[in-house]
Amino acid sequence: MITIGGQSLIFEPGQVIIAIDAATSMEAIRPLSQRLIEAELVAPDFLTHIMAREATFPTGLPTEPVGVAIPHTDPEHVHASAMAVGVLSRPVDFGVMGAGDDEVTPVSVIFLLAIAPGTGHMNVLGSLIRLIQDAEFLGGLSNSSAPSIHAAIVDEFSKNSQNK
């Protein structure tokens, strides 16, 4: 369990996948979504809803030193709030959050969010966006093992919640 933006999310070491080999955003998100589906944290059709939302409201962010995406969908497709993190073997284009239809950014790190009904998803997003603005932290994720990534994320959010 991890606390992000005052909200508890299930985030286990097995919910971190490194070296995801993908050519499209859907291929990149699929293994992360599958982990959440297998753990029965989300509905079986979670990926379908993630991709539909991504088509309308893209989540790519042109952060440095690597681009990030924060895909998520409506809470009715979520059984328990959770997060999965993926590091891609090579960047994949995602639509840019809040930009025009044709603007894309290469993404290397994905934070897939599953936010249950009644959870303050904007608090979670805000806290996560603050974290990914730390270039040193973000750069370290792209060159780490899955257990190291899990530990670093848990540590960062633990420090942040203690400093409030």
Side-chain angles (χ1 to χ4, degrees), residues 34-146:
Q34 196 58 40
R35 292 279 168 99
L36 299 182
I37 292 167
E38 289 168 359
E40 298 182 352
L41 300 171
V42 297
D45 59 352
F46 181 70
L47 178 61
T48 301
H49 296 287
I50 286 283
M51 295 314 299
R53 188 183 186 289
E54 194 70 26
T56 306
F57 301 107
T59 62
L61 297 166
T63 50
E64 293 294 334
V66 297
V68 170
I70 310 175
H72 53 285
T73 192
D74 298 322
E76 62 262 19
H77 310 295
V78 177
H79 304 309
S81 293
M83 179 173 69
V85 176
V87 178
L88 307 181
S89 57
R90 64 183 179 280
V92 170
D93 284 344
F94 273 73
V96 174
M97 185 183 292
D101 291 341
D102 297 330
E103 192 171 345
V104 297
T105 191
V107 165
S108 295
V109 179
I110 300 170
F111 291 87
L112 178 63
L113 297 178
I115 307 297
T119 305
H121 80 281
M122 293 307 290
N123 293 337
V124 174
L125 284 173
S127 293
L128 192 54
I129 288 171
R130 279 190 293 283
L131 178 65
I132 64 175
Q133 290 173 346
D134 180 340
E136 184 178 335
F137 176 79
L138 195 53
L141 292 183
S142 60
N143 299 311
S144 296
S145 67

